């Protein structure tokens, strides 16, 4: 072939591969921290304003039965990356685990197949990200004000401003400079709405006019639930007046915490003006007993919802960026939290439990041309499914050892039936005193085995007891369903190859 002909072959190959690259969808996954589905407009909350998240739901799908494999920050992110349960990806708890970045992840697959990939924001996996084209992460939990970022060369840079805005700025900067001939996958990891719920200065007091209704089981007595009785995560006893609710009694106490210590004079002045007034009001009220607990509940929700405001505003910004750059049509957008969160149910904040509020996560997804706007999905899906779903959408093969399943066949209706049951395993046994636990959830029942801290089984009929208050395990009339659920649980343990749980199944509860 003469040179000119070679040139034309090469040219047409280049055109085809660019066209292929552009056809493959871009992906943005926005992962917040500890954002409860109860605190989202699209999920039916009439008091909170979340137009950004609601827009994704309106233009795509709201998942009403999205769950996590292990309700904690690091374990959830490790599951999202690998499509595997904690016992397979090695990140079981925040205390001892370090993510082994040399293992396969969906990001690595995408990078190797021509995607530009990035993770910006909260990471919390102890080791540095591997396999990304770019990353900029918060150290550990990160800070709300003027946060530090670890850069790819290991240097630490301090940014000025409020963390949710900065993470979005950095995400947009990365999108601005990317190679537009290639598809991208960007993970935006938000710090909000993690404890201790520091709103942006412009959002302070945003929800002060609202009195939030107490959940019906706020004064739970934990009767029949041994593990619930020994936890340390109540708004009453665990949530602190100073650190959590900013009711410092003196300057020294206030200066002690990272989030206040780092503020600029103007940020600090806005913060002090707002909280000093509340401190004075509280002093004048001289509350105690139930009145004080309920005051704490109101303050918790006001700070939490105000922190949601900046998170959501920046989600809107991501969507506007896509609009402005004509990327909306060819970009999958997923918003999810790393787990759910208690908003006073059982008297609690925090997560960890296989109980609904923490096991379930909010998840909305927009995928133009594939998902019908405004649809609601009620299949059992999990954070475990994100990795295979994205690989599937990118037209790539899902590795056989990934334990999740692509959601696309369900969403495209080529497959009618999703999971019949879900498996859960939580390991951490320190802060908040939540007992390690594993279990199964079916359409109607939930069976949980607690171990290490508390040795017990719990069974709930979710049709008649949505808030999981009545443990039916061992009660007359439930023998057959318990035996059936134990068999199903054993089958799932075998399927996912969880040898630790398999061994525990053989041990009788004392
Ligand atoms: C910190 C928090 C806990 C929280 C864990 C895990 N305490 O330890 O309340 O449960 O993080 O959260 S704090 O005093 O440091 O705020 S996770 O989202 O990272 O898993
Ligand atoms: Ca979290």
């Amino acid at each position: 072939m003469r040179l000119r002909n070679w040139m034309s072959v090469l040219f047409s190959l280049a055109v085809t591969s660019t066209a292929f690259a552009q056809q493959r969808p871009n992906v943005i996954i926005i992962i917040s921290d500890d954002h409860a589905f109860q605190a989202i407009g699209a999920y039916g909350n009439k008091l909170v304003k979340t137009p950004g998240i609601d827009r994704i739901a309106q233009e795509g799908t709201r998942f009403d039965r999205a769950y996590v494999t292990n309700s904690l920050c690091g374990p959830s992110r490790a599951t999202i990356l690998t499509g595997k349960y904690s016992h397979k990806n090695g990140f079981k708890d925040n205390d001892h685990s370090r993510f082994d970045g040399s293992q396969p992840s969906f990001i690595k697959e995408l990078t190797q197949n021509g995607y530009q990939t990035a993770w910006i924001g909260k990471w919390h996996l102890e080791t540095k990200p591997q396999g990304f084209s770019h990353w900029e992460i918060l150290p550990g939990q990160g800070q709300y004000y003027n946060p530090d970022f670890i850069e790819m060369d290991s240097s630490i840079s301090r940014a000025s401003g409020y963390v949710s805005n900065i993470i979005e700025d950095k995400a947009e900067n990365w999108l601005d400079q990317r190679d537009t001939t290639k598809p991208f996958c960007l993970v935006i990891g938000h710090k909000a709405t993690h404890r201790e719920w520091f709103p942006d200065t412009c959002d302070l007091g945003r929800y002060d006019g609202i009195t939030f209704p107490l959940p019906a089981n706020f004064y739970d007595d934990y009767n029949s639930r041994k593990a619930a009785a020994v936890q340390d995560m109540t708004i009453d006893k665990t949530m602190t007046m100073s650190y959590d609710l900013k009711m410092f009694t003196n300057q020294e106490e206030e200066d002690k915490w990272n989030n206040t210590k780092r503020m600029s004079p103007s940020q600090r002045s806005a913060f002090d003006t707002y909280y000093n007034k509340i401190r004075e009001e509280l002093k004048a009220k001289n509350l105690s007993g139930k009145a004080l607990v309920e005051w704490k509940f109101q303050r918790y929700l006001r700070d939490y919802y105000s922190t949601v405001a900046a998170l959501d505003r920046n989600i809107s910004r991501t969507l506007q960026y896509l609009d402005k750059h004509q990327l909306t049509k060819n970009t999958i957008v997923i918003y999810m939290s790393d787990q759910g969160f208690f908003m006073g149910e059982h008297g609690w904040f925090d997560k960890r439990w296989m109980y609904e509020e923490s096991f379930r996560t909010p998840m909305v997804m927009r995928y133009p041309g594939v998902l019908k706007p405004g649809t609601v999905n009620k299949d059992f899906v999990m954070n475990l499914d994100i990795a295979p779903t994205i690989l599937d959408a990118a037209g790539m093969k899902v590795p056989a050892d990934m334990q999740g399943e692509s959601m696309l066949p369900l969403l495209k209706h080529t497959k009618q039936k999703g999971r019949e049951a879900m498996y859960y395993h939580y390991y951490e046994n320190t802060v908040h005193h939540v007992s390690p636990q594993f279990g199964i959830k079916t359409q109607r029942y939930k069976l949980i085995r607690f171990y290490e801290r508390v040795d017990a089984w719990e069974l709930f009929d979710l049709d008649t007891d949505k808030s999981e208050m009545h443990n039916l395990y061992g009660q007359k009339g439930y023998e057959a369903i318990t035996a059936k659920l134990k068999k199903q649980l054993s089958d799932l343990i075998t399927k996912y190859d969880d040898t630790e749980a398999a061994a525990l199944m053989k041990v009788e509860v004392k």
Side-chain angles (χ1 to χ4, degrees), residues 245-385:
L245 300 177
K246 301 96 181 165
M247 296 297 106
F248 310 107
T249 47
N250 56 54
Q251 196 64 39
E252 199 190 332
E253 200 177 77
E254 177 168 352
D255 289 342
K256 201 159 81 191
W257 308 107
N258 239 332
N259 283 316
T260 32
K261 211 159 53 189
R262 301 180 66 87
M263 287 176 163
S264 69
S266 71
Q267 290 164 343
R268 185 64 176 262
S269 147
F271 180 86
D272 282 345
T273 306
Y274 176 69
Y275 286 106
N276 282 346
K277 189 163 165 269
I278 296 167
R279 260 170 242 149
E280 291 309 315
E281 285 165 8
L282 175 67
K283 225 192 266 167
K285 283 188 185 134
N286 200 19
L287 303 172
S288 62
K290 276 193 174 178
L292 179 60
V293 183
E294 290 177 23
W295 181 91
K296 288 175 85 176
F297 169 78
Q298 294 300 334
R299 283 304 324 156
Y300 163 41
L301 263 70
R302 284 173 186 164
D303 279 353
Y304 185 100
Y305 278 42
S306 305
T307 308
V308 169
L311 166 71
D312 187 78
R313 203 159 45 238
N314 283 292
I315 294 170
S316 290
R317 281 181 64 199
T318 308
L319 302 177
Q320 282 153 16
Y321 182 98
L322 296 177
D323 292 342
K324 194 171 148 208
H325 295 84
Q326 286 83 45
L327 289 165
T328 300
K329 263 198 180 152
N330 196 31
T331 303
I332 298 172
V333 179
I334 297 175
Y335 170 71
M336 65 192 295
S337 176
D338 57 351
Q339 8 72 203
F341 211 68
F342 291 96
M343 304 297 303
E345 301 85 359
H346 303 283
W348 296 342
F349 66 103
D350 213 67
K351 55 265 177 176
R352 301 161 190 274
W353 298 83
M354 200 189 166
Y355 298 154
E356 286 298 289
E357 292 83 0
S358 57
F359 180 24
R360 193 179 143 197
T361 182
M363 189 163 105
V364 291
M365 179 176 180
R366 185 176 76 180
Y367 189 175
V370 174
L371 299 181
K372 232 170 109 199
T375 45
V376 174
N377 180 283
K378 296 210 181 280
D379 292 307
F380 281 162
V381 297
M382 301 189 83
N383 58 348
L384 190 67
D385 302 331

Side-chain angles (χ1 to χ4, degrees), residues 216-226 228-231 346-348 469-470:
N217 60 359
F218 185 74
Y219 289 111
D220 191 353
D221 60 5
Y222 315 120
N223 185 23
S224 78
R225 287 149 296 143
K226 278 194 207 162
V230 301
Q231 47 60 43
H346 303 283
W348 296 342
M469 299 288 284
H470 306 289

Side-chain angles (χ1 to χ4, degrees), residues 227 353-355 423-427 434-441 446-460 471 473 485-486 489-490 493 500-510:
W353 298 83
M354 200 189 166
Y355 298 154
Y423 178 60
Y424 180 78
H425 196 160
Y426 165 82
Y427 300 83
V434 178
S435 182
Q437 55 195 274
F438 60 89
I440 180 172
K441 176 184 159 81
K446 192 180 286 181
L447 180 73
I448 314 173
R449 167 69 190 263
F450 294 92
Y451 67 99
E452 257 174 41
R453 186 176 289 269
V454 164
D455 200 16
W457 284 97
E458 287 182 8
L459 169 69
F460 298 99
N471 177 15
Y473 189 85
L485 288 165
K486 278 193 180 171
L489 175 58
S490 289
I493 288 171
E500 200 180 338
L504 284 159
M505 285 298 283
K506 295 195 186 112
V507 180
E508 289 293 326
V509 164
K510 278 169 254 145

Side-chain angles (χ1 to χ4, degrees), residues 33-34 71-75 77 94 122 124 141 194-196 243-244 338-339 341 349-352 428 431-432:
D33 200 356
D34 295 2
S71 178
L72 205 60
C73 184
R77 282 165 184 75
N94 286 345
K122 184 167 175 185
H124 208 197
Q141 298 281 10
H194 195 275
R195 191 183 184 186
E196 61 288 29
Y243 171 71
D244 287 310
D338 57 351
Q339 8 72 203
F341 211 68
F349 66 103
D350 213 67
K351 55 265 177 176
R352 301 161 190 274
E428 197 169 285
V431 63
H432 296 304

Side-chain angles (χ1 to χ4, degrees), residues 11-225:
F11 178 74
S12 67
L13 272 176
V15 168
T16 327
S17 69
T18 304
F20 173 61
Q22 282 167 353
Q23 264 167 28
R24 293 192 290 171
N26 304 307
V27 181
I28 294 187
I29 307 174
I30 307 171
I31 307 173
S32 62
D33 200 356
D34 295 2
H35 188 195
F37 58 85
Q38 307 92 300
I40 297 178
Y43 281 95
N45 184 322
K46 302 253 182 314
L47 301 174
V48 73
K49 298 268 174 295
T50 50
I53 299 168
D54 300 353
R55 180 177 165 198
I56 304 175
Q58 278 150 19
E59 295 174 5
T61 296
R62 183 186 84 206
F63 292 85
D64 278 2
R65 290 188 183 146
Y67 290 82
V68 298
T69 57
N70 179 357
S71 178
L72 205 60
C73 184
S76 177
R77 282 165 184 75
T79 290
I80 291 170
L81 277 168
T82 59
K84 291 177 184 162
Y85 274 89
S86 310
H87 61 278
K88 290 288 179 191
N89 66 45
F91 204 103
K92 292 180 172 176
D93 63 43
N94 286 345
D95 286 344
H96 311 98
S97 305
R98 287 172 65 75
F99 187 67
D100 172 10
S102 69
Q103 67 186 301
S105 72
F106 82 97
I107 292 287
K108 281 188 187 168
E109 300 274 335
L110 292 177
T111 313
Q112 281 155 15
N113 282 277
Y115 267 76
Q116 292 172 96
T117 55
W119 187 299
I120 293 171
K122 184 167 175 185
W123 166 255
H124 208 197
L125 286 170
E126 305 302 328
T127 53
K128 285 186 188 143
Q130 287 185 34
F132 290 86
S133 325
H134 179 79
W135 54 266
E136 273 171 280
I137 55 170
L138 297 172
Q141 298 281 10
Q143 295 101 6
Y144 274 110
Y145 281 93
N146 311 320
D148 287 335
F149 281 83
I150 309 177
E151 311 286 339
M152 288 181 86
D153 63 3
S154 296
S155 65
I156 301 210
S157 70
R158 186 175 176 146
S160 301
Y162 185 73
V163 70
S164 311
N165 305 330
I166 295 167
I167 289 171
E168 176 63 21
D169 290 347
K170 284 183 183 288
E172 292 187 15
N173 285 344
W174 181 75
L175 287 170
D176 281 345
Q177 58 73 57
R178 76 187 201 285
D179 175 354
T180 52
T181 62
K182 290 181 176 175
F184 66 83
C185 175
L186 164 66
V187 183
I188 305 178
H190 278 290
K191 171 173 173 60
T193 49
H194 195 275
R195 191 183 184 186
E196 61 288 29
W197 320 293
F198 263 58
D200 192 356
T201 46
C202 62
D203 296 313
L204 288 166
R206 190 171 282 278
Y207 285 92
D208 283 2
I210 291 175
T211 303
F212 294 94
L214 273 189
N217 60 359
F218 185 74
Y219 289 111
D220 191 353
D221 60 5
Y222 315 120
N223 185 23
S224 78
R225 287 149 296 143

